[in-house]
Amino acid sequence: MSITVALTLLLFSLFLFLFLCLCLSTVAEKIAHRFFICDDSGSMAHNDGCRLYEMGNKFSQVQCSRWDELVDMLHFHIGLSKAANSACDFRMLNGLTPKRVGVKEVDPDNIAEKALLKAFENGPSSMTPMCTVLTKVVKEIQANEAWLRQDGLTVSLIIACDGQASDGNIAMVMKPLEKLPVDIVIRLC
């Protein structure tokens, strides 16, 4: 490959990277808040997940638990929210109170992040009270609907789970979200 072709490819890669960064920052400005509802029930201990490991210039897929796979994703989003100074609430289903990370002024000592990391170490257990946790998030979004619409903002709701709620009908609990300024991602583990 000639030096001209190599430099052209490098410049194109840099341009693409800068374009993606611009797109991300534009979209991020329209998201007022991010909620992660994370399944930490006992079934997340099943060993049918996977992780990608970088080995030199290749990636290798390694089997792990659903929980380990989810924790990898959550570590990424905690880091992203901190880098962007962007509020993210993490809601575990069992025991841990909601934790907000990403805003230096709210948690300058990273106490919320440390509590999340401890919960990650403790691992999954118990049932899947998804409806209880989701109902609280829906009410919070409803309480903020007026100013979200006024400012042209949305909320992101990411639900990471591996199955059915143990405390009700999740479709019925999610029904009010149809009329709210919210983008929903359901990540099956």
Side-chain angles (χ1 to χ4, degrees):
M1 176 182 332
S2 74
I3 188 87
T4 305
V5 172
L7 285 173
T8 303
L9 289 173
L10 177 64
L11 288 174
F12 178 75
S13 297
L14 289 173
F15 171 76
L16 184 60
F17 175 74
L18 291 174
F19 177 74
L20 288 173
C21 288
L22 178 63
C23 289
L24 272 174
S25 67
T26 302
V27 169
E29 290 173 3
K30 294 291 184 184
I31 301 170
H33 200 80
R34 290 154 192 82
F35 290 95
F36 287 83
I37 298 177
C38 307
D39 185 352
D40 59 349
S41 67
S43 61
M44 292 293 287
H46 288 283
N47 202 36
D48 56 2
C50 67
R51 286 178 163 169
L52 286 178
Y53 284 100
E54 187 174 1
M55 297 179 167
N57 61 351
K58 295 183 181 181
F59 286 92
S60 179
Q61 190 171 333
V62 178
Q63 189 171 1
C64 65
S65 70
R66 297 171 189 172
W67 178 250
D68 291 335
E69 182 180 334
L70 175 60
V71 167
D72 277 356
M73 181 202 65
L74 295 175
H75 278 290
F76 171 81
H77 284 286
I78 289 170
L80 184 62
S81 68
K82 286 174 63 177
N85 200 36
S86 176
C88 287
D89 278 15
F90 291 85
R91 312 278 175 111
M92 309 308 275
L93 300 183
N94 295 294
L96 189 67
T97 58
K99 300 298 176 199
R100 179 166 293 169
V101 300
V103 182
K104 293 176 193 115
E105 297 79 17
V106 172
D107 188 17
D109 297 324
N110 293 320
I111 292 169
E113 180 183 359
K114 290 172 186 171
L116 280 169
L117 297 177
K118 182 71 174 160
F120 297 165
E121 288 175 17
N122 292 339
S125 65
S126 197
M127 303 296 284
T128 313
M130 181 67 70
C131 294
T132 301
V133 175
L134 186 54
T135 297
K136 292 175 185 174
V137 171
V138 169
K139 286 180 181 177
E140 198 168 326
I141 296 169
Q142 287 171 325
N144 292 294
E145 179 182 9
W147 74 265
L148 288 167
R149 290 194 188 283
Q150 179 182 343
D151 293 348
L153 299 173
T154 64
V155 169
S156 289
L157 172 59
I158 300 91
I159 301 170
C161 65
D162 70 349
Q164 198 168 358
S166 61
D167 64 342
N169 183 334
I170 195 167
M172 293 197 46
V173 174
M174 291 183 73
K175 191 76 172 154
L177 294 171
E178 290 178 346
K179 296 182 174 119
L180 294 170
V182 60
D183 297 312
I184 303 167
V185 174
I186 299 176
R187 186 193 190 281
L188 297 177
C189 300

CSV table of all heavy atoms in Angstrom, one decimal, residues 58-91:
chain,number,residue,atom,x,y,z
A,58,LYS,N,-6.9,-9.1,17.6
A,58,LYS,CA,-8.1,-10.0,17.4
A,58,LYS,C,-9.0,-9.9,18.6
A,58,LYS,O,-8.5,-9.7,19.7
A,58,LYS,CB,-7.7,-11.4,17.1
A,58,LYS,CG,-6.9,-11.6,15.8
A,58,LYS,CD,-6.6,-13.0,15.6
A,58,LYS,CE,-5.8,-13.2,14.3
A,58,LYS,NZ,-5.5,-14.6,14.0
A,59,PHE,N,-10.3,-10.2,18.4
A,59,PHE,CA,-11.2,-10.4,19.5
A,59,PHE,C,-11.6,-11.8,19.7
A,59,PHE,O,-11.8,-12.5,18.7
A,59,PHE,CB,-12.5,-9.5,19.3
A,59,PHE,CG,-12.2,-8.0,19.5
A,59,PHE,CD1,-11.8,-7.2,18.4
A,59,PHE,CD2,-12.3,-7.5,20.7
A,59,PHE,CE1,-11.6,-5.9,18.6
A,59,PHE,CE2,-12.1,-6.1,20.9
A,59,PHE,CZ,-11.7,-5.3,19.8
A,60,SER,N,-11.8,-12.2,20.9
A,60,SER,CA,-12.2,-13.6,21.2
A,60,SER,C,-13.4,-13.5,22.1
A,60,SER,O,-13.5,-12.7,23.0
A,60,SER,CB,-11.0,-14.3,21.9
A,60,SER,OG,-11.4,-15.6,22.2
A,61,GLN,N,-14.4,-14.4,21.8
A,61,GLN,CA,-15.6,-14.5,22.6
A,61,GLN,C,-15.4,-15.6,23.6
A,61,GLN,O,-15.0,-16.7,23.3
A,61,GLN,CB,-16.7,-14.9,21.6
A,61,GLN,CG,-18.1,-14.7,22.3
A,61,GLN,CD,-19.2,-14.9,21.2
A,61,GLN,OE1,-19.0,-14.6,20.1
A,61,GLN,NE2,-20.3,-15.3,21.7
A,62,VAL,N,-15.7,-15.2,24.9
A,62,VAL,CA,-15.6,-16.1,26.0
A,62,VAL,C,-16.9,-16.2,26.7
A,62,VAL,O,-17.6,-15.2,27.0
A,62,VAL,CB,-14.5,-15.6,27.0
A,62,VAL,CG1,-14.3,-16.5,28.2
A,62,VAL,CG2,-13.2,-15.4,26.3
A,63,GLN,N,-17.3,-17.5,27.1
A,63,GLN,CA,-18.5,-17.7,27.8
A,63,GLN,C,-18.4,-17.1,29.2
A,63,GLN,O,-17.4,-17.2,29.9
A,63,GLN,CB,-18.9,-19.2,27.8
A,63,GLN,CG,-20.3,-19.4,28.4
A,63,GLN,CD,-20.7,-20.9,28.2
A,63,GLN,OE1,-19.9,-21.7,27.7
A,63,GLN,NE2,-21.9,-21.2,28.6
A,64,CYS,N,-19.6,-16.6,29.7
A,64,CYS,CA,-19.6,-16.1,31.1
A,64,CYS,C,-21.1,-16.1,31.5
A,64,CYS,O,-22.0,-16.5,30.8
A,64,CYS,CB,-19.1,-14.6,31.1
A,64,CYS,SG,-20.1,-13.5,30.2
A,65,SER,N,-21.4,-15.6,32.7
A,65,SER,CA,-22.8,-15.6,33.2
A,65,SER,C,-23.5,-14.4,32.5
A,65,SER,O,-22.8,-13.4,32.0
A,65,SER,CB,-22.8,-15.4,34.7
A,65,SER,OG,-22.4,-14.2,35.1
A,66,ARG,N,-24.8,-14.4,32.5
A,66,ARG,CA,-25.6,-13.3,32.1
A,66,ARG,C,-25.2,-12.0,32.9
A,66,ARG,O,-25.1,-10.9,32.3
A,66,ARG,CB,-27.1,-13.6,32.2
A,66,ARG,CG,-27.6,-14.7,31.4
A,66,ARG,CD,-29.0,-15.0,31.8
A,66,ARG,NE,-29.4,-16.3,31.1
A,66,ARG,CZ,-30.5,-16.9,31.4
A,66,ARG,NH1,-31.4,-16.4,32.3
A,66,ARG,NH2,-30.8,-18.0,30.8
A,67,TRP,N,-25.0,-12.2,34.2
A,67,TRP,CA,-24.7,-11.1,35.1
A,67,TRP,C,-23.3,-10.5,34.7
A,67,TRP,O,-23.2,-9.3,34.6
A,67,TRP,CB,-24.6,-11.7,36.5
A,67,TRP,CG,-24.2,-10.6,37.5
A,67,TRP,CD1,-23.0,-10.5,38.2
A,67,TRP,CD2,-25.0,-9.5,37.9
A,67,TRP,NE1,-23.0,-9.4,39.0
A,67,TRP,CE2,-24.2,-8.7,38.8
A,67,TRP,CE3,-26.2,-9.0,37.5
A,67,TRP,CZ2,-24.7,-7.6,39.4
A,67,TRP,CZ3,-26.7,-7.8,38.1
A,67,TRP,CH2,-25.9,-7.1,39.1
A,68,ASP,N,-22.3,-11.3,34.4
A,68,ASP,CA,-21.0,-10.7,34.0
A,68,ASP,C,-21.1,-10.0,32.7
A,68,ASP,O,-20.5,-8.9,32.5
A,68,ASP,CB,-20.0,-11.9,33.8
A,68,ASP,CG,-19.6,-12.5,35.1
A,68,ASP,OD1,-19.7,-11.8,36.2
A,68,ASP,OD2,-19.2,-13.7,35.1
A,69,GLU,N,-21.9,-10.4,31.8
A,69,GLU,CA,-22.1,-9.7,30.5
A,69,GLU,C,-22.8,-8.4,30.8
A,69,GLU,O,-22.4,-7.4,30.2
A,69,GLU,CB,-23.0,-10.6,29.6
A,69,GLU,CG,-23.3,-10.0,28.2
A,69,GLU,CD,-24.2,-10.9,27.4
A,69,GLU,OE1,-24.2,-12.2,27.6
A,69,GLU,OE2,-24.9,-10.4,26.5
A,70,LEU,N,-23.8,-8.4,31.6
A,70,LEU,CA,-24.5,-7.1,31.9
A,70,LEU,C,-23.6,-6.2,32.7
A,70,LEU,O,-23.6,-5.0,32.4
A,70,LEU,CB,-25.8,-7.4,32.8
A,70,LEU,CG,-26.5,-6.2,33.3
A,70,LEU,CD1,-27.1,-5.4,32.2
A,70,LEU,CD2,-27.7,-6.7,34.3
A,71,VAL,N,-22.8,-6.6,33.6
A,71,VAL,CA,-21.9,-5.8,34.3
A,71,VAL,C,-20.9,-5.1,33.4
A,71,VAL,O,-20.6,-3.9,33.6
A,71,VAL,CB,-21.2,-6.6,35.5
A,71,VAL,CG1,-20.0,-5.8,36.1
A,71,VAL,CG2,-22.2,-6.9,36.6
A,72,ASP,N,-20.4,-5.8,32.4
A,72,ASP,CA,-19.5,-5.2,31.4
A,72,ASP,C,-20.2,-4.0,30.8
A,72,ASP,O,-19.6,-3.0,30.6
A,72,ASP,CB,-19.1,-6.2,30.3
A,72,ASP,CG,-18.0,-7.1,30.7
A,72,ASP,OD1,-17.4,-6.9,31.8
A,72,ASP,OD2,-17.6,-8.0,30.0
A,73,MET,N,-21.5,-4.2,30.3
A,73,MET,CA,-22.2,-3.1,29.7
A,73,MET,C,-22.4,-1.9,30.7
A,73,MET,O,-22.2,-0.8,30.3
A,73,MET,CB,-23.6,-3.6,29.2
A,73,MET,CG,-24.4,-2.5,28.5
A,73,MET,SD,-26.1,-2.7,28.5
A,73,MET,CE,-26.7,-2.6,30.1
A,74,LEU,N,-22.7,-2.2,31.9
A,74,LEU,CA,-22.9,-1.2,32.9
A,74,LEU,C,-21.7,-0.4,33.2
A,74,LEU,O,-21.7,0.8,33.4
A,74,LEU,CB,-23.6,-1.8,34.2
A,74,LEU,CG,-24.9,-2.4,34.0
A,74,LEU,CD1,-25.4,-3.1,35.3
A,74,LEU,CD2,-25.9,-1.4,33.5
A,75,HIS,N,-20.5,-1.1,33.3
A,75,HIS,CA,-19.3,-0.4,33.5
A,75,HIS,C,-19.0,0.7,32.4
A,75,HIS,O,-18.6,1.8,32.6
A,75,HIS,CB,-18.1,-1.3,33.5
A,75,HIS,CG,-17.9,-2.0,34.8
A,75,HIS,ND1,-17.4,-1.3,35.9
A,75,HIS,CD2,-18.0,-3.3,35.2
A,75,HIS,CE1,-17.3,-2.2,36.9
A,75,HIS,NE2,-17.7,-3.4,36.5
A,76,PHE,N,-19.3,0.2,31.1
A,76,PHE,CA,-19.2,1.1,30.0
A,76,PHE,C,-20.1,2.4,30.1
A,76,PHE,O,-19.6,3.5,30.0
A,76,PHE,CB,-19.5,0.4,28.7
A,76,PHE,CG,-19.6,1.4,27.5
A,76,PHE,CD1,-18.4,1.8,26.9
A,76,PHE,CD2,-20.8,1.8,27.0
A,76,PHE,CE1,-18.5,2.7,25.8
A,76,PHE,CE2,-20.9,2.7,26.0
A,76,PHE,CZ,-19.7,3.1,25.4
A,77,HIS,N,-21.3,2.2,30.5
A,77,HIS,CA,-22.3,3.3,30.6
A,77,HIS,C,-22.0,4.2,31.8
A,77,HIS,O,-22.2,5.4,31.7
A,77,HIS,CB,-23.7,2.8,30.6
A,77,HIS,CG,-24.2,2.4,29.2
A,77,HIS,ND1,-24.5,3.3,28.3
A,77,HIS,CD2,-24.3,1.2,28.7
A,77,HIS,CE1,-24.8,2.6,27.2
A,77,HIS,NE2,-24.7,1.3,27.4
A,78,ILE,N,-21.5,3.6,32.9
A,78,ILE,CA,-21.0,4.5,34.0
A,78,ILE,C,-19.9,5.4,33.6
A,78,ILE,O,-19.9,6.6,33.8
A,78,ILE,CB,-20.6,3.6,35.2
A,78,ILE,CG1,-21.9,2.9,35.8
A,78,ILE,CG2,-19.9,4.4,36.3
A,78,ILE,CD1,-21.5,1.9,36.9
A,79,GLY,N,-18.9,4.8,32.9
A,79,GLY,CA,-17.8,5.6,32.4
A,79,GLY,C,-18.3,6.7,31.4
A,79,GLY,O,-17.8,7.8,31.4
A,80,LEU,N,-19.2,6.3,30.5
A,80,LEU,CA,-19.7,7.3,29.5
A,80,LEU,C,-20.4,8.4,30.2
A,80,LEU,O,-20.2,9.6,29.8
A,80,LEU,CB,-20.6,6.5,28.5
A,80,LEU,CG,-21.1,7.4,27.3
A,80,LEU,CD1,-20.0,7.9,26.5
A,80,LEU,CD2,-22.1,6.5,26.5
A,81,SER,N,-21.3,8.1,31.2
A,81,SER,CA,-22.0,9.1,31.8
A,81,SER,C,-21.1,10.1,32.6
A,81,SER,O,-21.3,11.3,32.6
A,81,SER,CB,-23.1,8.5,32.8
A,81,SER,OG,-22.5,7.9,33.9
A,82,LYS,N,-20.0,9.5,33.2
A,82,LYS,CA,-19.1,10.4,33.9
A,82,LYS,C,-18.3,11.3,32.9
A,82,LYS,O,-18.1,12.5,33.2
A,82,LYS,CB,-18.1,9.5,34.7
A,82,LYS,CG,-18.7,8.9,36.0
A,82,LYS,CD,-17.8,8.0,36.7
A,82,LYS,CE,-16.6,8.6,37.2
A,82,LYS,NZ,-15.7,7.7,37.9
A,83,ALA,N,-17.9,10.7,31.8
A,83,ALA,CA,-17.1,11.5,30.8
A,83,ALA,C,-18.0,12.6,30.2
A,83,ALA,O,-17.5,13.7,30.0
A,83,ALA,CB,-16.7,10.5,29.7
A,84,ALA,N,-19.3,12.4,30.1
A,84,ALA,CA,-20.2,13.4,29.5
A,84,ALA,C,-20.8,14.3,30.6
A,84,ALA,O,-21.5,15.2,30.2
A,84,ALA,CB,-21.3,12.7,28.7
A,85,ASN,N,-20.5,14.0,31.8
A,85,ASN,CA,-21.2,14.7,33.0
A,85,ASN,C,-22.7,14.7,32.8
A,85,ASN,O,-23.3,15.7,32.8
A,85,ASN,CB,-20.6,16.1,33.1
A,85,ASN,CG,-20.9,16.7,34.5
A,85,ASN,OD1,-20.8,16.0,35.5
A,85,ASN,ND2,-21.2,18.0,34.5
A,86,SER,N,-23.2,13.5,32.5
A,86,SER,CA,-24.6,13.3,32.1
A,86,SER,C,-25.3,12.4,33.1
A,86,SER,O,-24.8,11.2,33.3
A,86,SER,CB,-24.6,12.7,30.7
A,86,SER,OG,-25.9,12.5,30.3
A,87,ALA,N,-26.4,12.8,33.7
A,87,ALA,CA,-27.0,12.0,34.7
A,87,ALA,C,-27.6,10.7,34.2
A,87,ALA,O,-28.3,10.7,33.2
A,87,ALA,CB,-28.2,12.9,35.3
A,88,CYS,N,-27.3,9.7,34.9
A,88,CYS,CA,-27.8,8.3,34.7
A,88,CYS,C,-28.2,7.7,36.0
A,88,CYS,O,-27.4,7.7,37.0
A,88,CYS,CB,-26.8,7.4,34.1
A,88,CYS,SG,-26.4,7.7,32.4
A,89,ASP,N,-29.5,7.2,36.1
A,89,ASP,CA,-29.9,6.5,37.3
A,89,ASP,C,-29.9,5.0,37.0
A,89,ASP,O,-30.4,4.6,36.0
A,89,ASP,CB,-31.4,6.9,37.6
A,89,ASP,CG,-31.5,8.2,38.4
A,89,ASP,OD1,-30.5,8.9,38.4
A,89,ASP,OD2,-32.5,8.5,38.9
A,90,PHE,N,-29.3,4.3,37.9
A,90,PHE,CA,-29.2,2.9,37.8
A,90,PHE,C,-30.1,2.3,38.9
A,90,PHE,O,-30.0,2.6,40.1
A,90,PHE,CB,-27.8,2.4,38.0
A,90,PHE,CG,-26.9,2.8,36.9
A,90,PHE,CD1,-26.3,4.0,36.8
A,90,PHE,CD2,-26.7,1.9,35.8
A,90,PHE,CE1,-25.5,4.4,35.8
A,90,PHE,CE2,-25.9,2.3,34.7
A,90,PHE,CZ,-25.3,3.5,34.7
A,91,ARG,N,-31.1,1.5,38.5
A,91,ARG,CA,-32.0,0.9,39.4
A,91,ARG,C,-31.9,-0.7,39.3
A,91,ARG,O,-32.1,-1.3,38.3
A,91,ARG,CB,-33.5,1.2,39.0
A,91,ARG,CG,-33.7,2.7,38.7
A,91,ARG,CD,-33.9,3.5,40.0
A,91,ARG,NE,-34.1,4.9,39.7
A,91,ARG,CZ,-35.2,5.6,39.9
A,91,ARG,NH1,-36.3,5.0,40.3
A,91,ARG,NH2,-35.2,6.9,39.7
